[in-house]
Amino acid sequence: MSQDVKTQIIEIIAEQAVLEPSDVSMDQSLADLGIDSLGLVESIFAIEEAFDISVPFNANEPEQSDFDISSVASIVAAVTDLIKDQTA
């Protein structure tokens, strides 16, 4: 996992949660950080724009998507995988 990807995602999530990046830990869920469904959508749009990737439209339905949003760490892993898939 690229440290740069991790750092950018934490910054995006922290901005949505109105927190400092240092207040975001990898094991927290977006709900733990106070991010609601609208904040989730805005976070996904920001991630897509930052990394020039396309997150699956059903990412907010974990049982139907490979894009896991259950924690900050899982989002970083999913974005890293999408970046790898795009460059492969």
Side-chain angles (χ1 to χ4, degrees):
M1 154 179 36
S2 167
Q3 189 64 27
D4 186 47
V5 171
K6 175 183 168 185
T7 301
Q8 279 188 272
I9 290 173
I10 287 175
E11 288 172 357
I12 289 167
I13 291 171
E15 184 177 332
Q16 277 302 317
V18 192
L19 297 170
E20 292 298 319
S22 60
D23 295 332
V24 177
S25 69
M26 294 295 283
D27 63 337
Q28 289 177 298
S29 72
L30 297 184
D32 292 340
L33 296 166
I35 296 176
D36 61 9
S37 58
L38 178 60
L40 167 62
V41 170
E42 291 177 358
S43 296
I44 289 173
F45 284 152
I47 288 168
E48 286 180 325
E49 188 174 306
F51 298 102
D52 194 25
I53 58 172
S54 184
V55 173
F57 74 93
N58 59 351
N60 62 337
E61 299 171 12
E63 63 281 350
Q64 296 180 19
S65 176
D66 291 335
F67 194 90
D68 183 0
I69 59 167
S70 60
S71 69
V72 174
S74 63
I75 293 170
V76 170
V79 168
T80 301
D81 287 345
L82 283 175
I83 293 169
K84 283 180 192 170
D85 289 349
Q86 185 181 45
T87 58

